[in-house]
Amino acid sequence: MRLFIAGATLLALSSIGFAQEAKTQVKKATIEYTNPASGVEMFTTYCAVCHGNDGKGTGPAASALKKAPADLTLLTKKNKGKFPRLEIQAMIKGDTAPAAHGSRDMPMWGDIFRSVSKSPELVDLRVRNLRDYLESIQQK
Ligand code: HEC
């Protein structure tokens, strides 16, 4: 499985057609193995390029996406003070499309994780640990 991850010049999803306009370079990279037990390692490796190391949505690839990556530290605030565990889990895995207008710049991680971890249990473990990591970075 190919994925859109690299250093500071990475950009994602050339198929949606911003590749020519974007100043940032589109670069696809093969997905890197990470420890399924480490939410922070997975977040830094897979998510920070769009969502930023701090989760606030300002990663190096963010400016070239059609839709700004969500600020992932506000999930609890936006949900009346309760972290929406199940929704976030489904969102990460790719079972749920994002609410607004069907833009899907956010990769479907369930499929991607299946290419690095063969067992469904490990795929779910990755999703759950990412969810828990996100819960840990919520603004009060
Ligand atoms: C290619 C850029 C990109 C990468 C990489 C990426 N995301 Fe996203 N993500 C987005 C965008 C864009 C949105 C907003 C989606 C929309 O509403 O269309 C989003 C939305 C989300 C949401 C929903 C937030 C909300 O308010 O409902 C969650 C949760 C999320 N991302 C988690 C992750 C996690 C965890 C990873 C790493 C495993 C990740 N994202 C990697 C681009 C990305």
Side-chain angles (χ1 to χ4, degrees), residues 6-82:
T9 52
L10 145 27
L11 255 249
L13 307 181
S14 52
S15 62
I16 59 176
F18 60 64
Q20 295 89 334
E21 316 139 38
K23 290 189 199 86
T24 322
Q25 199 188 340
V26 173
K27 194 166 166 189
K28 295 185 178 184
T30 305
I31 185 158
E32 209 179 297
Y33 185 83
T34 54
N35 181 354
S38 173
V40 64
E41 182 184 337
M42 290 189 286
F43 189 84
T44 311
T45 309
Y46 303 137
C47 320
V49 64
C50 290
H51 290 284
N53 274 323
D54 60 2
K56 292 189 175 173
T58 56
S63 63
L65 297 174
K66 275 192 187 152
K67 185 154 189 222
D71 180 339
L72 299 179
T73 68
L74 295 178
L75 300 170
T76 293
K77 272 201 168 153
K78 287 194 299 193
N79 192 49
K80 302 182 181 132
K82 190 170 186 292

